[in-house]
Structure formats: structure tokens, C-alpha cells
Amino acid sequence: MMGSRKPQRSAKPSLRNPSGSLSSANKPTFKKEKKKPTKSNASDSKSKKRDKKKPKQGQKRPNDGVADGISLNNDHDLQPMTVSDQLKFFVDHYQSANNVQFSSLELEAINENCILNLRPGSDKDDKSLGKQIKAAFGSSWKEVLYEKNLIEGKFDPGSPVILILATSAIRAIEVLRGFRSLTTECHAAKLFAKHIKVEEQVASLKSRVNIAGGTPSRIKKLIELEALGLSRLSILFIDLHVDVKGYSLLTLPQVSDEFWDLYKNYFHQRLLDGNTRLCFYRLNQSIAKMRQKRAPEELIHTK
């Protein structure tokens, strides 16, 4: 009887190739431990990152918060503009928007007396407007700005002393709230299209008006209808508040064109004659936003 054969064991796979070395396919892999950065290495890497962010010579940072020497991080941090600065701002915008160049005689007439300067910091508080405007008229403020009696031959009906120009009805109402202390007797005229018909405004302008506010298009229409008079206009109050989209009265499409059309036709000559002064409100905010918008464009041109 033949003995039973024992089953042969399968050979263990060799980790070595014929040359005797470990095969690359079967080499065990080990994870390398990452070196923890030391304080010196961490500071070196940070400095390298800062160096990479540094602009080349002659190149401006797009968001460094500074343009032309004025901080743009917060419009409330801007230095108050002098009367001379405000005048230059307006002249530059007028010439640019209307593609004209003032003559030397015109520039002599457009002087610092044409500007009513608000107290520094007034951009933060609408409620202080009434007090500041009241101070500008001195002892005659009550007779000129407050009383409502229409004296024939002395006060023309529908002719405000202060006319506020704003981008929208909502913004006009917000500014008019700042004059509330002066409008308890003689109510302010609201001259915008939203919820108010032209016929209603024409009727209201048949009485005495000391303070009025509205949008350029509706104000122009009322002037053309001879309902809104300008014989008493002493201050043209220009609200330069910047909306959430970054637009102001001087930059909002269509509205800015309507503003300049209105100004050229009805207010500029009064300014030259010394009968009307300009008062800019929220000017610092407007300049800051415009320069922030311009900074990235300047960076592109320097590349």
C-alpha cells in the first residue's frame, strides 16, 4: 500500500528580486513626519509673504486705504475740507461734466464767498443741520426761515430761501428731517414725483415757502411751470450722500445729467451774481467713495 502524499505548501512570496535587493513594488512605505515650524522659520515665511505682496516701483496698492493723502478706510476719519477745497471740487466737476473751461473772469466771480461751509463733523448728524443753517442767517433767521405769513411785496409765494437737491424722494425726506426745527410753522415743500402729483405741488407753492427739497427733474418742471420761484433763493443745498451702489447726485446716471442741466439753466448765474451760495452736504463721504472706486483702475493703468 502506497503512503499518502502530504500536500505541498505554497511558497511564500519573496520580497527580493533575483539580484537580492528588495523589489520597489514590495517596499514598505513610511510617512515622513512634517517638521514643526520654529518661531524663526515662521517669521521668515511671513516676511516672504509680505515681500510677495509688495507692489513694484511706481505701482499703487488697490486697497491700501489711501489716495491723494486722504484716508479711505472710513469716511468719518477724513479731514474736513476747506472752503477752497470745496470750491475746487465743484469747479472741476462742473468743467468735466459739461466739457467746458471757465474763463479767468468767471473764475474770479466763483470765489470762496459762493460757499456756505458747514461745521466739521456735521456729516454724522442730520439733526444739527437746522442749527447750523439758523446760525448762518444770524439774527434774521426767524423772519427769513421760520415765519409763515406771506407779506405782499416782501415775500414772493413759492420762492424758498433754501432749496435742497437730492438723488431721490427718500433721500430728500431724510435731509428735510434735519431742518424740522425750522419748519414747524412754515412747512417744507416736498418737490419730488413719488406719491405727489404736480398739480398738488403747484397748489402748495401758492403760499409762502422757506425751505424746499426734492429731485432735479421735478424741481426743473415746477420752475418751468412758474410755480417754483427763485427770487428768495439764498442757499442751494446739494446733498452728496452716496447710496449702497456707490452713486451720488454727481455720479448717478441720468440724475447727474438732470442736476447739471438744472444748475446751468437756473442757478449758475445767481451764483455769479452773488445772490445764491452753495452748501455741500456729505462731501467727504462722496470723495472717499469716488477715490476708492478709482484706486483699482489706477492700479490697472500702472501695470
Side-chain angles (χ1 to χ4, degrees):
M1 187 173 175
M2 294 180 65
S4 59
R5 291 185 182 180
K6 292 182 181 180
Q8 292 181 355
R9 293 181 181 179
S10 58
K12 291 183 179 180
S14 175
L15 295 178
R16 295 182 179 275
N17 57 20
S19 62
S21 61
L22 289 171
S23 63
S24 58
N26 296 317
K27 281 183 181 180
T29 56
F30 301 96
K31 290 185 178 179
K32 293 183 179 180
E33 292 184 2
K34 292 183 179 179
K35 292 182 179 180
K36 293 182 179 180
T38 60
K39 289 185 178 180
S40 59
N41 290 337
S43 60
D44 291 342
S45 61
K46 285 182 181 179
S47 63
K48 286 178 182 178
K49 287 181 181 178
R50 284 197 297 267
D51 292 340
K52 287 181 181 179
K53 291 181 182 178
K54 285 184 180 179
K56 296 177 182 179
Q57 190 173 3
Q59 182 177 331
K60 295 183 180 180
R61 293 181 187 269
N63 296 311
D64 60 356
V66 178
D68 300 334
I70 294 182
S71 170
L72 303 181
N73 294 324
N74 190 333
D75 56 89
H76 296 317
D77 294 336
L78 294 174
Q79 292 297 318
M81 294 187 72
T82 64
V83 174
S84 177
D85 291 335
Q86 295 177 48
L87 192 64
K88 185 179 184 304
F89 168 85
F90 183 73
V91 169
D92 290 346
H93 272 74
Y94 182 99
Q95 294 182 140
S96 175
N98 299 287
N99 197 25
V100 296
Q101 192 74 27
F102 284 131
S103 65
S104 56
L105 289 174
E106 285 178 306
L107 288 173
E108 286 180 12
I110 307 172
N111 52 53
E112 294 186 7
N113 294 327
C114 298
I115 304 294
L116 173 63
N117 191 33
L118 294 176
R119 187 180 68 241
S122 62
D123 286 8
K124 302 177 185 178
D125 183 17
D126 292 345
K127 295 178 182 178
S128 68
L129 287 175
K131 293 180 181 179
Q132 292 191 67
I133 297 298
K134 175 181 171 180
F137 285 87
S139 59
S140 65
W141 73 268
K142 192 170 184 179
E143 180 187 7
V144 176
L145 298 174
Y146 190 77
E147 294 178 357
K148 66 176 182 179
N149 295 328
L150 184 62
I151 303 172
E152 190 175 348
K154 189 173 183 180
F155 300 118
D156 293 332
S159 183
V161 178
I162 299 170
L163 182 59
I164 299 161
L165 293 176
T167 53
S168 65
I170 294 174
R171 185 58 199 162
I173 290 172
E174 288 175 349
V175 177
L176 282 171
R177 286 185 186 134
F179 291 87
R180 189 172 289 172
S181 62
L182 300 174
T183 57
T184 54
E185 287 290 323
C186 185
H187 299 306
K190 297 173 183 177
L191 311 178
F192 42 77
K194 194 170 185 177
H195 304 312
I196 307 176
K197 294 180 180 180
V198 174
E199 293 77 16
E200 295 176 18
Q201 291 167 333
V202 170
S204 67
L205 290 170
K206 289 180 179 179
S207 58
R208 177 172 169 175
V209 176
N210 297 328
I211 299 171
T215 54
S217 58
R218 180 52 63 93
I219 287 172
K220 184 184 179 185
K221 187 175 186 66
L222 291 167
I223 293 174
E224 291 172 345
L225 291 172
E226 298 183 353
L228 178 64
L230 303 176
S231 61
R232 298 177 65 213
L233 185 61
S234 177
I235 297 173
L236 185 64
F237 192 95
I238 301 173
D239 176 46
L240 295 175
H241 171 78
V242 178
D243 63 19
V244 292
K245 293 183 179 179
Y247 291 113
S248 72
L249 186 66
L250 301 184
T251 59
L252 184 62
Q254 187 177 342
V255 174
S256 59
D257 293 336
E258 293 168 351
F259 165 76
W260 287 116
D261 181 51
L262 174 66
Y263 176 82
K264 286 188 299 179
N265 286 292
Y266 297 105
F267 303 130
H268 188 61
Q269 190 57 49
R270 290 188 61 83
L271 184 82
L272 296 177
D273 295 339
N275 296 321
T276 299
R277 288 189 289 171
L278 304 177
C279 182
F280 298 109
Y281 186 55
R282 299 282 176 96
L283 179 56
N284 274 17
Q285 182 200 37
S286 182
I287 289 176
K289 295 294 182 182
M290 283 190 290
R291 288 181 177 175
Q292 279 179 329
K293 190 175 181 180
R294 194 173 66 222
E297 295 173 0
E298 290 177 346
L299 177 64
I300 292 170
H301 291 306
T302 57
K303 286 185 178 180

